[in-house]
Amino acid sequence: MAKNLKLKAARAEKGMTQDMLAYKVNVTRQTIISIENGDYNPTIRLCRAICKELGKTLDDLFWEDEQ
């Protein structure tokens, strides 16, 4: 999996640390790190929670652009 730079950028745009986002969506900071690094494929429920906290859509953060 590729790194999720969209998630990292959206989080930074909101001024949130990995710890802050993790707390808001009830996961560990390590989970957020793993998602951003492309090492973990989150559930739809977690994706939706992250999108809600960051004010983004699933397409904004988790849809891979076609090359």
Side-chain angles (χ1 to χ4, degrees), residues 11-49:
R11 180 177 55 72
E13 186 179 289
K14 284 280 190 180
M16 294 182 87
T17 65
Q18 291 168 329
D19 274 326
M20 291 166 69
L21 179 57
Y23 177 79
K24 293 274 193 179
V25 298
N26 200 30
V27 296
T28 65
R29 177 174 170 260
Q30 189 59 44
T31 299
I32 300 300
I33 292 169
S34 294
I35 295 168
E36 288 184 359
N37 286 337
D39 297 329
Y40 178 71
N41 191 10
T43 64
I44 290 294
R45 177 175 280 172
L46 179 52
C47 289
R48 290 181 68 207

